[in-house]
Amino acid sequence: MTVAPDLLPRIASAIVLGAVALAGAWWGGMVTAVLVAAASAIVHLEWTGITEGAQRAALAFTGAVAAIMIIAGAGYPEVAAAVGCIIAIVAAALGPRPWRPAGIVYAAAFGLSLLALRDSADGLAAIGFLFAVVWATDIGAYFAGRAIGGPKLWPAVSPRKTWSGAIGGLGAAVIAGLAVAWAVDIPIVAALVPVALALSIAGQCGDLFESSVKRHFGVKDSGTIIPGHGGMMDRVDGLVFSAVVAVLAGLVHSGGIDAARGLIRW
């Protein structure tokens, strides 16, 4: 297996970001909301840089995305979601292309999904399960793809991704998800396996989606803020889709009452 020259920076960056994310999730409340607001704002800035070639044109909307997270963190998620919809509509009316409102939806959905999961008695366990599945998917896909190789998953969008990597990511996600469930006293039941698989698939779809957007605009990385990873979007692309799917699945299972509990307790 060949080792990429950027492996050490990737590992160091992942450890630092993972520690910050876990600390923010553990703390909860406005601390989590502020961290999520910052991450969502950076994601929106990078999206704008990719799709519009500049970030100044949408700075007001970036601030609005951050404000939405603070509103949600203050205990008004419905208001935050409504404000987000209004801002997206305004952006669609003012923006030259649909990419601007799409960026608001993308960044806001990412942050609001994380806050919706955390805002529960089971929120910390649910976030831990989600993080474990998404991170293990990335790690498993990276090493399985390099060790095994084989047919490409979608070469037109992401030339380096392989089917072996995708399958390795799924296997790693299930193992990591069950390990975290055991560690935090989530009931170990068969239903957790398809849940972990669904979140892993969503994460890989999110990765491919971001790759397709960058390829459409001829951009290699979303930014340079994270050594070895590029931009914030490059690091959380899988988490965006997985977090949204986690909330939707949790709400459906709980009858719309508690996304976190519905996700992890079967």
Side-chain angles (χ1 to χ4, degrees), residues 38-52 54-55 57-66 87 91 99-108 110 232-233:
S40 299
I42 294 171
V43 166
H44 183 262
L45 276 178
E46 292 178 348
W47 175 284
T48 304
I50 293 170
T51 60
E52 299 190 31
Q55 296 173 335
L59 280 178
F61 292 112
T62 298
V65 167
I87 292 171
W99 292 102
R100 187 172 291 180
I104 295 170
V105 172
Y106 184 84
F110 162 59
M232 181 68 72
M233 275 181 65

Side-chain angles (χ1 to χ4, degrees), residues 18-155:
V20 172
L22 290 173
W26 177 82
W27 200 276
M30 287 305 296
V31 172
T32 299
V34 169
L35 286 175
V36 170
S40 299
I42 294 171
V43 166
H44 183 262
L45 276 178
E46 292 178 348
W47 175 284
T48 304
I50 293 170
T51 60
E52 299 190 31
Q55 296 173 335
R56 290 185 178 180
L59 280 178
F61 292 112
T62 298
V65 167
I68 289 169
M69 303 309 135
I70 300 301
I71 294 171
Y76 303 98
E78 296 85 359
V79 175
V83 171
C85 291
I86 293 171
I87 292 171
I89 292 171
V90 171
L94 298 178
R97 293 177 295 181
W99 292 102
R100 187 172 291 180
I104 295 170
V105 172
Y106 184 84
F110 162 59
L112 289 176
S113 295
L114 291 178
L115 293 177
L117 281 177
R118 184 61 183 88
D119 186 25
S120 165
D122 289 308
L124 186 57
I127 289 288
F129 180 80
L130 172 66
F131 284 175
V133 168
V134 174
W135 293 345
T137 297
D138 286 346
I139 295 169
Y142 180 86
F143 285 104
R146 287 189 171 273
I148 301 171
K152 302 299 182 180
L153 180 62
W154 194 354

Side-chain angles (χ1 to χ4, degrees), residues 141-226:
Y142 180 86
F143 285 104
R146 287 189 171 273
I148 301 171
K152 302 299 182 180
L153 180 62
W154 194 354
V157 170
S158 187
R160 291 188 296 179
K161 289 183 173 59
T162 61
W163 280 101
S164 62
I167 295 169
L170 291 175
V174 171
I175 294 171
L178 293 178
V180 168
W182 174 81
V184 299
D185 292 327
I186 297 172
I188 306 295
V189 296
L192 281 181
V193 173
V195 169
L197 289 174
L199 296 181
S200 179
I201 292 171
Q204 296 191 50
C205 289
D207 193 336
L208 290 170
F209 171 76
E210 195 227 9
S211 294
S212 68
V213 172
K214 291 190 297 185
R215 183 163 290 273
H216 177 79
F217 288 96
V219 175
K220 183 180 182 296
D221 295 319
S222 66
T224 59
I225 192 173
I226 304 174

